[in-house]
């Protein structure tokens, strides 16, 4: 029993007050939902011009364009195989130096070795062998020494080589120490004068530097210069100019590379000249004891040119 203090007092139980508060909160929530719904509906109406047809029609196709270079979508051709080359650079019938090169498409890499003309092969120097039987004699002697075979040969004179080199642009190469050298004992004399530091190398510089490095038993430096030239010359621009360069090569050298061989190599050129392909380089330089390549070096170089 509850006693009221004054007549007419109204009693609200505690439970009824709590219910009243909950009802108020519910009404407020409903009001917020209704207001939001009205705003949202009005927005849709404005967007679709209060047309049910436009509302239910599918959205127009939207194309998202990404700024991606076409090369990112380029599918490179599959390449494989190893091809060995031998080349000689000469002047007036005298061998200046010989070179060996492998295009290893199994591993997408270059391998190169430079050989000085004084190199003794089976009792005779390469220079003497060249005088007697030309590029074919040099090829046979090096094939026997390294127990390998060369698929292609190129015999080119100094002037033509330098012109071809220059047409592919100069090459940046670091000269470790200043060079001031003059050779007066060779059948074809030469001189080199260069400051230390990064230098621009043209065709004439290349030939003289290779000769200087080989004559002074710096075969590793000679190989580095050769590889730097390959890396900087075999680029996208080369791929655009290669037909003209090939014509220039076969017109000014003795070679067994045919137009068909050149065409077959198209896939290899695409891969090697693509900037997104990491082409490996290997300097398989020879080590000498006087004018003979050491036995251990012969075995090491032989491994690079095996197929």
């Amino acid at each position: 029993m509850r006693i009221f203090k004054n007549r007419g007092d109204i009693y609200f139980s505690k439970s009824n007050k709590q219910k009243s508060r909950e009802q108020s909160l519910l009404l407020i929530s409903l009001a917020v939902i209704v207001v939001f719904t009205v705003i949202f509906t009005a927005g849709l109406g404005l967007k679709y011009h209060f047309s049910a047809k436009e509302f239910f029609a599918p959205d127009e196709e939207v194309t998202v364009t990404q700024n991606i270079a076409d090369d990112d979508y380029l599918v490179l051709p599959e390449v494989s195989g190893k091809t060995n080359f031998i080349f000689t650079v000469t002047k007036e019938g005298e061998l200046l130096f010989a070179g060996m090169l492998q295009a290893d498409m199994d591993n997408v890499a270059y391998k190169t070795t430079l050989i000085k003309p004084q190199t003794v092969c089976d009792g005779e120097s390469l220079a003497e062998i060249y005088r007697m039987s030309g590029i074919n004699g040099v090829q046979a002697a090096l094939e026997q020494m390294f127990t390998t075979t060369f698929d292609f040969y190129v015999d080119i004179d100094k002037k033509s080589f330098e012109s071809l080199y220059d047409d592919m642009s100069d090459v940046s190469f670091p000269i470790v120490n200043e060079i001031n050298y003059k050779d007066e004992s060779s059948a074809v004399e030469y001189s080199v004068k260069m400051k230390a530091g990064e230098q621009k190398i043209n065709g004439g510089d290349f030939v003289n530097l290779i000769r200087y490095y080989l004559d002074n038993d710096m075969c590793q430096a000679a190989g580095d210069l050769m590889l730097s030239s390959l890396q900087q010359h075999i680029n996208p621009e080369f791929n655009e100019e290669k037909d003209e360069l090939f014509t220039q090569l076969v017109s000014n050298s003795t070679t067994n590379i045919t137009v068909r061989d050149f065409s077959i190599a198209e896939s290899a050129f695409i891969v090697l000249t693509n900037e997104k392909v990491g082409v490996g380089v290997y300097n398989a330089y020879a080590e000498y004891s006087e004018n003979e390549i050491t036995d251990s070096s012969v075995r090491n170089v032989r491994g690079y040119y095996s197929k």
Side-chain angles (χ1 to χ4, degrees):
M1 179 182 294
R2 181 176 293 277
I3 301 174
F4 293 96
K5 185 176 180 180
N6 300 306
R7 186 183 297 274
D9 284 351
I10 299 174
Y11 169 72
F12 291 98
S13 69
K14 189 174 182 181
S15 60
N16 286 339
K17 288 182 180 180
Q18 184 174 356
K19 289 180 180 179
S20 178
R21 188 181 300 112
E22 291 175 352
Q23 289 173 351
S24 298
L25 291 173
L26 179 60
L27 288 173
I28 292 170
S29 300
L30 288 173
V32 170
I33 293 172
V34 170
V35 171
F36 176 80
T37 303
V38 170
I39 294 172
F40 179 73
T41 303
L44 287 177
L46 289 172
K47 179 178 179 181
Y48 294 102
H49 306 95
F50 296 96
S51 170
K53 182 178 179 180
E54 290 188 24
F55 176 79
F56 289 105
D59 291 339
E60 293 181 0
E61 183 178 351
V62 178
T63 303
V64 179
T65 304
Q66 293 180 317
N67 187 20
I68 300 177
D70 292 340
D71 285 347
D72 290 339
Y73 297 103
L74 178 64
V75 178
L76 295 174
E78 293 185 4
V79 291
S80 62
K82 298 177 181 180
T83 306
N84 289 340
F85 299 83
I86 184 170
F87 65 92
T88 51
V89 178
T90 66
K91 183 177 180 180
E92 299 171 356
E94 294 292 334
L95 178 65
L96 303 184
F97 60 87
M100 297 155 47
L101 171 70
Q102 183 181 88
D104 180 358
M105 301 313 298
D106 290 339
N107 301 293
V108 190
Y110 303 119
K111 305 168 187 177
T112 188
T113 307
L114 291 162
I115 309 291
K116 61 184 180 180
Q118 301 91 344
T119 302
V120 176
C121 295
D122 198 22
E124 290 185 303
S125 72
L126 278 185
E128 293 170 342
I129 293 172
Y130 183 82
R131 291 189 197 108
M132 290 185 293
S133 50
I135 180 68
N136 299 118
V138 172
Q139 177 178 344
L142 293 180
E143 283 181 339
Q144 182 178 354
M145 175 180 287
F146 296 109
T147 319
T148 189
T149 55
F150 294 101
D151 304 285
F152 300 106
Y153 63 80
V154 176
D155 181 26
I156 187 168
D157 69 89
K158 179 178 181 288
K159 184 177 180 180
S160 296
F161 179 89
E162 291 172 352
S163 177
L164 187 65
Y165 191 101
D166 290 340
D167 285 345
M168 291 188 287
S169 78
D170 293 345
V171 166
S172 295
F173 186 73
I175 303 298
V176 178
N177 298 307
E178 183 177 354
I179 305 172
N180 191 355
Y181 179 84
K182 186 174 183 179
D183 170 72
E184 297 178 338
S185 60
S186 301
V188 179
E189 299 177 358
Y190 70 98
S191 62
V192 180
K193 189 172 184 179
M194 283 198 172
K195 294 181 179 180
E198 197 78 13
Q199 301 295 335
K200 288 290 186 181
I201 308 299
N202 61 29
D205 297 329
F206 178 89
V207 172
N208 290 338
L209 271 172
I210 292 295
R211 297 184 68 190
Y212 167 77
Y213 287 140
L214 293 177
D215 287 346
N216 290 276
D217 293 328
M218 301 168 68
C219 298
Q220 184 173 0
D224 289 341
L225 176 55
M226 180 69 183
L227 289 174
S228 291
S229 298
L230 284 171
Q231 287 179 296
Q232 294 176 56
H233 282 158
I234 309 300
N235 53 32
E237 289 73 24
F238 171 86
N239 206 31
E240 297 173 2
E241 301 169 357
K242 66 180 184 300
D243 292 346
E244 183 179 341
L245 292 169
F246 175 72
T247 300
Q248 184 178 345
L249 173 67
V250 297
S251 299
N252 295 283
S253 69
T254 300
T255 181
N256 64 337
I257 304 175
T258 65
V259 174
R260 182 174 180 274
D261 297 323
F262 181 72
S263 300
I264 291 173
E266 177 67 25
S267 294
F269 284 128
I270 292 173
V271 173
L272 292 172
T273 58
N274 189 280
E275 292 179 326
K276 299 184 183 303
V277 176
V279 180
V281 291
Y282 297 91
N283 187 354
Y285 64 92
E287 295 182 319
Y288 284 83
S289 174
E290 295 184 353
N291 288 326
E292 293 188 359
I293 301 177
T294 64
D295 292 340
S296 60
S297 184
V298 168
R299 290 191 296 270
N300 181 57
V301 172
R302 180 184 296 151
Y304 284 99
Y305 293 90
S306 62
K307 293 186 178 182

